[in-house]
Amino acid sequence: MNIISSKHPEWKDYTLRHFSESGYSIVTDVFSRSEVNEIKERMYSVQSLIESEIGQQRLQRAGEKGVLRLMMKYDPFFTSFLENAFLLQVVDHVLGNTCIMHLQNGFILPKEKENEKKVFQTTFHRDFNRNFNGLIVSVNALVTISEFSKKNGGTLILPGSHQNHLDIKTLEQQIQSTPIECPEGSIVFFDSTLVHAAGQNLSNNDRLAINHQFTKSYFKQQIDYVRALGDNTIEGLTPRTQQLLGWYTRVVTSLDEYYQPSENRLYRSGQG
């Protein structure tokens, strides 16, 4: 397991090296116990708000299990993850500082039920299913809000399965999957082309995490975060967070918006 503490002076070099070689690396001691406890409370609160607004029937029809989308709309606290120095150092190094956030999804993985049907997240897949001859265009940063272990369904990965054209079924036959095991408050960085799946939670407790996926700025987001959160909310955030949410890569809707001075353009120059 490629794992190192954020307190180690060479954590970044270690992380980037193993990220390149194996497709993933884990940094521990990023969030404190008190921070983790607060995040847990906020995630459960957001889950209740989403269920109240969308309804259990629609959520179940989506074929997901314990996924929390657009958490920032229900609790602005979740924008703070885009200001985390450890997360940004790795993502910016790999993708450059004009990258954007493709998604932020919370996971509350409940205990496995007997004869439970598989859903997308529990089958092996890639979060970015394209290969550009080794060019990395998408990176995941999975924040562990619970301890990850084999027993509670820690994410299963196929080390070395990133940046290739091999079929997932072929890879499953060649490489034995490895469950991610690390303390709460860690960040698991992985190349979005790495083959992975949520494990089975056989414990008596929920397993919580927050997945972030970042891409080069010219790829569409899963959700238009600027429209979803609104201009007033975005304008109150730091320029770097605005960048990550897609504030500088908006698509114009009129010639008036197109023919604006460079400082007022919705799609700024130099975005990669």
Side-chain angles (χ1 to χ4, degrees):
M1 194 60 54
N2 303 329
I3 188 166
I4 191 170
S5 171
S6 64
K7 298 174 183 178
H8 193 287
E10 297 181 7
W11 74 268
K12 183 180 174 183
D13 290 340
Y14 177 97
T15 298
L16 293 170
R17 182 171 69 254
H18 286 282
F19 177 92
S20 176
E21 293 172 355
S22 303
Y24 80 99
S25 194
I26 303 167
V27 181
T28 65
D29 304 309
V30 178
F31 297 91
S32 68
R33 174 63 60 83
S34 62
E35 288 174 321
V36 164
N37 289 338
E38 179 183 3
I39 295 166
K40 285 180 181 177
E41 290 181 12
R42 290 179 180 272
M43 287 181 70
Y44 280 114
S45 177
V46 166
Q47 184 181 46
S48 296
L49 292 171
I50 292 174
E51 289 176 351
S52 176
E53 179 179 330
I54 305 302
Q56 282 288 354
Q57 186 177 1
R58 290 174 68 187
L59 292 170
Q60 290 171 3
R61 188 175 62 203
E64 300 175 340
K65 185 163 67 170
V67 181
L68 310 180
R69 301 184 187 277
L70 197 55
M71 294 191 295
M72 292 178 285
K73 174 185 174 183
Y74 301 93
D75 188 343
F77 166 84
F78 289 101
T79 62
S80 66
F81 285 83
L82 303 183
E83 301 170 2
N84 184 274
F86 295 102
L87 185 152
L88 289 178
Q89 284 186 68
V90 174
V91 171
D92 284 357
H93 183 94
V94 178
L95 296 178
N97 61 10
T98 60
C99 67
I100 62 173
M101 188 181 75
H102 177 72
L103 61 80
Q104 181 196 65
N105 290 339
F107 294 119
I108 299 179
L109 185 68
K111 180 180 179 180
E112 190 86 4
K113 297 176 183 176
E114 192 174 350
N115 300 319
E116 187 167 2
K117 209 163 113 183
K118 273 187 172 281
V119 296
F120 174 75
Q121 70 221 60
T122 59
T123 59
F124 280 101
H125 62 279
R126 294 181 170 99
D127 282 354
F128 193 92
N129 204 26
R130 297 288 183 275
N131 186 290
F132 296 100
N133 296 318
L135 175 67
I136 301 174
V137 298
S138 183
V139 172
N140 284 59
L142 177 67
V143 181
T144 62
I145 309 304
S146 301
E147 177 186 10
F148 266 41
S149 67
K150 182 177 181 179
K151 185 175 181 180
N152 75 357
T155 303
L156 301 171
I157 58 172
L158 301 180
S161 61
H162 62 303
Q163 296 297 326
N164 62 56
H165 298 279
L166 290 175
D167 180 73
I168 289 179
K169 291 183 180 178
T170 302
L171 286 166
E172 286 185 64
Q173 294 171 358
Q174 293 180 346
I175 311 172
Q176 186 176 2
S177 64
T178 303
I180 288 176
E181 297 188 285
C182 61
E184 61 182 26
S186 305
I187 300 180
V188 182
F189 294 100
F190 62 94
D191 187 315
S192 301
T193 64
L194 186 77
V195 177
H196 64 285
Q200 291 181 305
N201 185 357
L202 303 178
S203 73
N204 293 318
N205 301 307
D206 294 339
R207 194 262 286 153
L208 281 70
I210 301 175
N211 183 37
H212 301 82
Q213 183 179 353
F214 300 90
T215 65
K216 294 284 190 179
S217 61
Y218 39 81
F219 291 99
K220 287 185 179 180
Q221 296 165 296
Q222 186 182 81
I223 292 175
D224 186 336
Y225 288 100
V226 169
R227 286 177 58 207
L229 299 176
D231 290 6
N232 289 339
T233 297
I234 303 292
E235 288 173 345
L237 301 172
T238 67
R240 185 70 186 97
T241 301
Q242 292 175 342
Q243 167 76 45
L244 288 165
L245 290 173
W247 183 245
Y248 302 144
T249 51
R250 289 170 289 167
V251 179
V252 301
T253 60
S254 68
L255 292 181
D256 178 62
E257 289 180 345
Y258 186 87
Y259 290 107
Q260 289 289 329
S262 58
E263 66 273 14
N264 295 336
R265 288 177 186 162
L266 300 185
Y267 199 113
R268 304 282 177 92
S269 63
Q271 294 301 306

